[in-house]
Amino acid sequence: MRLLTAFAFGLLFGCGILISGMGDPAKVLNFFDIAGTWDPSLAFVMAGALLVTAIGYRLVFRMRAPLLAQGFALPTTTDLDAKLIGGSAVFGIGWGLSGFCPGGLVPVLGLGLEPVITALAIVAGILTARWTIALSYRAQTAKA
């Protein structure tokens, strides 16, 4: 049942991405081009997502336990550290350069070479970040 529910919500998310235009890099890049061909329509998509999320959290916090899991998996840290800020900056730069957010990229992977190249670049970035963190950790433990 959990797998079927995850599939249904993933399908709903993918359809929303495609219907809203967030799978089209030109539409996304026009949203970021405030001085040129600005397209504010994605602001309404984001506002709608925030509204749905706010309502969802209100409903979830009233529940004693989730329907399909042992417990809730909520974040436990609230620290703003260099990894979070740096990762957010790299994410935003990548989104602005490519026009693809990872969430909007998955539903359009079969539509051409550009989304595939972007996905490979994201995977390369993730692997590079993990490698860099592992090297940093090894260096710190060697000093201790």
Side-chain angles (χ1 to χ4, degrees):
M1 183 65 173
R2 287 178 61 186
L3 187 60
L4 184 60
T5 304
F7 176 77
F9 281 115
L11 185 63
L12 179 64
F13 177 78
C15 289
I17 290 290
L18 294 175
I19 290 168
S20 69
M22 288 189 78
D24 179 7
K27 186 169 186 72
V28 173
L29 292 173
N30 284 337
F31 173 71
F32 289 126
D33 188 8
I34 296 171
T37 57
W38 187 52
D39 179 1
S41 62
L42 291 185
F44 296 106
V45 172
M46 292 178 197
L50 285 172
L51 178 65
V52 169
T53 301
I55 293 169
Y57 267 100
R58 297 274 298 178
L59 293 173
V60 164
F61 285 140
R62 290 183 181 170
M63 298 173 62
R64 290 188 178 154
L67 299 175
L68 300 173
Q70 297 294 326
F72 292 110
L74 298 173
T76 57
T77 60
T78 57
D79 299 337
L80 292 177
D81 60 0
K83 283 185 355 183
L84 177 64
I85 293 170
S88 300
V90 170
F91 176 89
I93 291 167
W95 190 14
L97 289 174
S98 70
F100 286 113
C101 168
L105 178 64
V106 173
V108 298
L109 275 175
L111 299 180
L113 189 58
E114 185 181 2
V116 173
I117 291 171
T118 304
L120 291 173
I122 290 171
V123 170
I126 291 168
L127 294 175
T128 301
R130 287 184 178 202
W131 177 71
T132 305
I133 290 168
L135 282 178
S136 173
Y137 179 74
R138 283 189 205 127
Q140 288 175 359
T141 55
K143 288 181 183 178

